[in-house]
Amino acid sequence: QVQLVESGGGLVQPGGSLTLSCFAAARIISINAMGWYRQAPGKQRELVATISNGGSTKYEESVKDRFTISRDNAKRTVYLQMNSLKPEDTAVYYCNADITTSPWGRGDYWGQGTQVTVSS
């Protein structure tokens, strides 16, 4: 069974930085695309950033030039470096990964979510 274990959320002042981490705890063959999503109160979950197995990245427009997604395949971990944080970045952040667990098994998995609050 695949578990995505997130860490790194918390409270930060506007303009501050946080780094989120997400580790895939499972017997796997490969991790394909990985990404971060977020959901603010009363809003739908939205894509923040994705990274392919080859390292290609995509970002939601409002976080470009402030957030950086990266991955360490050997550690089965994806990171989200968040700089210049704004109050509107406040949300629960979820890790997502497309994982191949066997020759016949591939699925889309989610972490439990980690709260990021940007407030003075």
Side-chain angles (χ1 to χ4, degrees):
Q1 183 177 357
V2 176
Q3 274 192 308
L4 297 182
V5 182
E6 300 160 355
S7 61
L11 173 64
V12 64
Q13 292 186 343
S17 298
L18 280 176
T19 300
L20 306 182
S21 300
C22 173
F23 167 67
R27 296 170 66 92
I28 63 174
I29 292 179
S30 65
I31 303 177
N32 308 305
M34 305 183 82
W36 290 94
Y37 290 71
R38 65 186 180 186
Q39 187 166 19
K43 295 187 177 181
Q44 290 188 334
R45 189 174 297 188
E46 65 174 0
L47 173 67
V48 176
T50 61
I51 184 167
S52 71
N53 194 17
S56 297
T57 59
K58 292 183 181 179
Y59 295 92
E60 194 271 327
E61 192 64 33
S62 70
V63 307
K64 281 182 180 179
D65 301 324
R66 298 190 298 123
F67 291 9
T68 302
I69 189 171
S70 61
R71 62 190 287 172
D72 184 330
N73 291 330
K75 294 183 178 179
R76 304 185 204 166
T77 300
V78 62
Y79 305 96
L80 186 68
Q81 173 68 43
M82 305 184 292
N83 299 325
S84 303
L85 282 160
K86 304 176 181 180
E88 51 263 43
D89 294 317
T90 296
V92 178
Y93 283 69
Y94 296 91
C95 173
N96 173 263
D98 174 6
I99 295 175
T100 299
T101 55
S102 71
W104 55 87
R106 179 173 177 172
D108 192 53
Y109 298 90
W110 291 89
Q112 79 283 1
T114 185
Q115 178 70 46
V116 172
T117 302
V118 185
S119 175
S120 55

